[in-house]
Amino acid sequence: MQKPLIAVLLASACFSLNASAADLIQVYQQALANDATYASARASLSAGRERITQGRAGLLPTVGISGGLSKNDNDFDPWNVGQLGTLPNGQPGIIGSSGSNLRTNEYTLSLQQPLYRWDRWETYQQSKLQQAIAEAQFAQAQQDLITRVAQAYFDVLASQDALESTRAQKDATTEQLASAKRNFEVGTQTITDTHEAQAAYDLVLAQEFAAVNDLDNKRNALQAIIGTAPGNLAALKPGTTLAVPQPATVDPWVSSAENQNYGVTVGQLQVEIATRDISRNRAGHLPTLDLVASSTRRDVNGRTGSSGDTNNNAIGLQWSVPIFSGFAVTSRVRESIALEDRARNDLEATRRNAALQARQSFLGVNSGLAQVKALEAAEVSSQSALESNKLGYQVGVRINIDVLNAQRQLYQTRTDLSRARYDVIINGLRLKAAAGSLREADLTPVNSLLAE
């Protein structure tokens, strides 16, 4: 008696597991953990946060210690070299020879503190801007991840809807084909009706194969982002109502895009870096001033008058004035001026592109909402038209091709309607991204539109 109960429980558990579907937030959390592009952006941010430390290092003192150990053996003979005689200790030997055996140990502790180096100051200021660029680029990568996940998620749903609609159309066409064959067999219809139904069935069968392939491609695209094969995805709730963007006029969105878009922010920072690069290169004509200090200890052991320990401590200022460098500095200045002009033009192009994206996304949301409303009405009309054609076909005032065309129109309308709803949602997220205001929290209201 227990085995059937266990089987029922296992079947129930498997059914619950298969019935559960991941929503947009859960898929986004998977992307945060597994998306390689986002991980690369995060690593770039970590690297960019080191720029200030590196730039400030040029303004801080440098301390170093150096030294050396040497041994020197030196023997030499005067004019009477090789003459025999009596050495000072009373022993016979060669007189007139001399030499030394020296061991020298020397080390120096040095310090250098820049006092006036304008190029290093500008490099430090540029490092702050470079770190700010890294922060802005990472924020843009976060926005890109949100839009990429949402796009891939709803692409899968759209492909699923298209496949379901195609299969429903195939079932209806199959039924219509069977009816045409029966009517032909009893002699109430011609072979033409059967051929038309067969052609419609063959066409929808080919569309089904294409829809299956498209769904596989869309699921693979989502897998490339989240790192694992996606399971069942939560679909939109029936009768979902989509909201209009707020504010409801395009000008505030365009203004925000021109000033707060992260691409524009990066462009502005790059212009400032290019401006400071001009000043940094012009510093090649300026003098430099450093504070230098050193402490040297020298130990000499051996038969020489210089044997002993020597200590030397020194502190002072060291300056340098450039006079001529072969026009290299002037050339670098001209180059940096040209690069600054390029950065300003790049900024203007980025600002215009951000404004264009905001306008296109805003129009996409509003035109999409109008399209959704029209397609909802068209779905009702297409359903009524199909029912009327079926009734007319039964009483003989409509032919088989009329029913097939009505079926095709109904299922195509449903496919277009689902795609239009998803496009409205995606354009809404892209509109916020263009304006620089898209955040992870913006996925919550979208996720509330999905069935649990």
Side-chain angles (χ1 to χ4, degrees):
M1 295 296 294
Q2 292 181 350
K3 290 184 178 180
L5 177 60
I6 294 175
V8 170
L9 292 176
L10 289 175
S12 177
C14 292
F15 178 80
S16 300
L17 181 61
N18 292 331
S20 62
D23 59 20
L24 183 59
I25 296 294
Q26 292 171 336
V27 172
Y28 176 71
Q29 294 298 329
Q30 288 180 296
L32 282 176
N34 300 312
D35 182 58
T37 302
Y38 180 75
S40 174
R42 187 168 54 238
S44 296
L45 174 63
S46 299
R49 286 175 173 169
E50 300 297 328
R51 292 300 183 90
I52 292 182
T53 301
Q54 297 171 10
R56 186 171 51 238
L59 301 176
L60 299 179
T62 57
V63 180
I65 186 169
S66 61
L69 177 64
S70 63
K71 180 180 180 182
N72 185 6
D73 294 330
N74 183 25
D75 294 322
F76 64 94
D77 295 327
W79 290 99
N80 56 355
V81 64
Q83 292 183 358
L84 295 176
T86 303
L87 298 176
N89 58 7
Q91 299 296 325
I94 299 177
I95 62 174
S97 63
S98 178
S100 62
N101 184 1
L102 302 180
R103 294 175 61 88
T104 303
N105 185 13
E106 180 178 358
Y107 59 88
T108 300
L109 177 66
S110 61
L111 177 144
Q112 183 177 15
Q113 169 62 57
L115 298 180
Y116 181 78
R117 286 184 176 266
W118 188 252
D119 58 334
R120 296 188 182 184
W121 172 256
E122 290 294 349
T123 299
Y124 173 53
Q125 298 302 319
Q126 286 178 320
S127 69
K128 295 179 181 179
L129 299 172
Q130 290 166 345
Q131 180 166 325
I133 287 178
E135 299 282 353
Q137 288 175 335
F138 180 69
Q140 189 172 27
Q142 289 177 311
Q143 288 191 340
D144 291 342
L145 180 63
I146 293 174
T147 56
R148 286 191 295 114
V149 169
Q151 181 71 66
Y153 184 96
F154 289 112
D155 280 346
V156 172
L157 293 187
S159 294
Q160 289 179 172
D161 293 344
L163 179 58
E164 292 175 4
S165 179
T166 302
R167 285 175 173 170
Q169 183 180 355
K170 185 182 75 171
D171 294 339
T173 305
T174 302
E175 181 180 350
Q176 197 66 24
L177 174 60
S179 176
K181 288 181 178 179
R182 287 193 304 268
N183 292 335
F184 173 71
E185 290 174 357
V186 298
T188 58
Q189 289 183 353
T190 65
I191 191 62
T192 303
D193 294 328
T194 303
H195 290 167
E196 289 174 346
Q198 184 65 50
Y201 175 81
D202 294 338
L203 177 60
V204 75
L205 187 62
Q207 292 173 345
E208 181 185 17
F209 289 139
V212 170
N213 182 70
D214 184 68
L215 177 58
D216 288 339
N217 289 335
K218 294 302 189 296
R219 291 178 67 86
N220 290 335
L222 181 58
Q223 180 179 350
I225 298 176
I226 64 177
T228 57
N232 295 330
L233 302 180
L236 283 180
K237 297 176 181 177
T240 297
T241 301
L242 303 176
V244 299
Q246 294 296 331
T249 58
V250 69
D251 291 340
W253 292 103
V254 172
S255 177
S256 179
E258 291 177 340
N259 296 281
Q260 299 180 18
N261 180 275
Y262 284 112
V264 174
T265 300
V266 170
Q268 291 172 336
L269 293 171
Q270 289 175 338
V271 168
E272 189 170 351
I273 287 178
T275 301
R276 289 190 173 274
D277 207 48
I278 297 174
S279 178
R280 184 180 65 85
N281 286 315
R282 282 176 175 163
H285 293 302
L286 301 178
T288 62
L289 179 63
D290 299 328
L291 172 67
V292 293
S294 64
S295 177
T296 303
R297 178 179 176 84
R298 190 166 186 263
D299 298 332
V300 180
N301 298 317
R303 300 193 308 270
T304 178
S306 60
S307 298
D309 299 336
T310 303
N311 295 319
N312 182 37
N313 299 321
I315 187 172
L317 298 177
Q318 179 176 307
W319 55 269
S320 174
V321 178
I323 297 177
F324 181 71
S325 58
F327 304 107
V329 174
T330 304
S331 177
R332 284 194 292 267
V333 170
R334 290 197 303 265
E335 178 187 18
S336 58
I337 291 174
L339 292 176
E340 183 199 28
D341 186 56
R342 185 186 71 176
R344 291 187 183 278
N345 285 284
D346 289 344
L347 171 60
E348 182 61 24
T350 302
R351 180 179 285 113
R352 293 178 184 179
N353 186 55
L356 176 61
Q357 290 177 351
R359 290 190 178 94
Q360 289 177 338
S361 299
F362 184 85
L363 293 175
V365 172
N366 285 277
S367 63
L369 289 171
Q371 187 179 12
V372 167
K373 186 176 181 180
L375 287 171
E376 288 174 343
E379 182 183 19
V380 176
S381 301
S382 298
Q383 183 67 47
S384 299
L386 176 59
E387 294 173 357
S388 299
N389 276 278
K390 284 183 176 180
L391 181 59
Y393 177 70
Q394 293 174 359
V395 298
V397 297
R398 285 288 187 268
I399 60 176
N400 193 45
I401 192 63
D402 295 329
V403 178
L404 294 173
N405 289 336
Q407 289 175 345
R408 186 180 301 110
Q409 178 179 341
L410 173 61
Y411 292 116
Q412 184 62 47
T413 300
R414 289 177 177 174
T415 301
D416 294 341
L417 176 58
S418 65
R419 179 76 265 182
R421 288 195 179 110
Y422 301 142
D423 288 342
V424 169
I425 297 174
I426 295 299
N427 281 321
L429 295 176
R430 287 177 175 170
L431 177 60
K432 292 183 178 181
S437 60
L438 181 62
R439 301 293 183 269
E440 182 178 340
D442 293 314
L443 290 177
T444 302
V446 177
N447 201 62
S448 65
L449 302 176
L450 303 176
E452 296 180 358

